[in-house]
Amino acid sequence: MSFRPEIVAGDRVYLSHFDKPDAPLLARWLSDLETTTHLGAIGQVFGVEDDEEWIDRIRRDRFNPNFAIVLRVSVQLIVSLGLKSVNPKRGTAECGMCIGEKTTRGM
């Protein structure tokens, strides 16, 4: 995907949304034993169809936003970031993230 809308812009990365063309990449991330172990889903494997369904679901969910974190220089999706239990009144939420691109861990 060459163009991604910027929801929140940073110097090195920006937040965008997920699109169906991201499903194969997400499936690759979530088929990696090291990654699924860190997510508490040890050994689970997610296919492209699973991730396409997930993308459809999160795009409709206005109460638990999910974001793609994109490396600006290469327009590369590197992280999946999700918020849940969002409480606008208190300004709180639970945050979960998957740093899928191993080469970007520790940057």
Side-chain angles (χ1 to χ4, degrees), residues 15-31:
L15 297 184
S16 190
H17 58 73
F18 289 97
D19 280 317
K20 284 216 179 166
D22 296 322
L25 177 62
L26 295 171
R28 182 173 58 82
W29 291 355
L30 296 173
S31 295

Side-chain angles (χ1 to χ4, degrees), residues 25-91:
L25 177 62
L26 295 171
R28 182 173 58 82
W29 291 355
L30 296 173
S31 295
D32 178 78
L33 182 60
E34 181 183 3
T35 300
T36 58
T37 299
H38 288 292
L39 294 174
I42 299 169
Q44 282 188 292
V45 176
F46 300 88
V48 173
E49 297 82 16
D50 299 317
D51 288 307
E52 287 175 344
E53 289 173 16
W54 178 78
I55 290 167
D56 285 340
R57 222 174 23 256
I58 65 165
R59 294 288 302 258
R60 290 188 305 268
D61 188 345
R62 300 294 177 227
F63 300 103
N64 299 294
N66 283 269
F67 301 99
I69 298 182
V70 180
L71 195 57
R72 181 174 297 288
V73 68
S74 60
V75 192
Q76 177 188 15
L77 171 59
I78 58 172
V79 176
S80 170
L81 172 72
L83 299 176
K84 62 183 195 175
S85 301
V86 177
N87 185 330
K89 200 173 205 175
R90 300 180 99 186

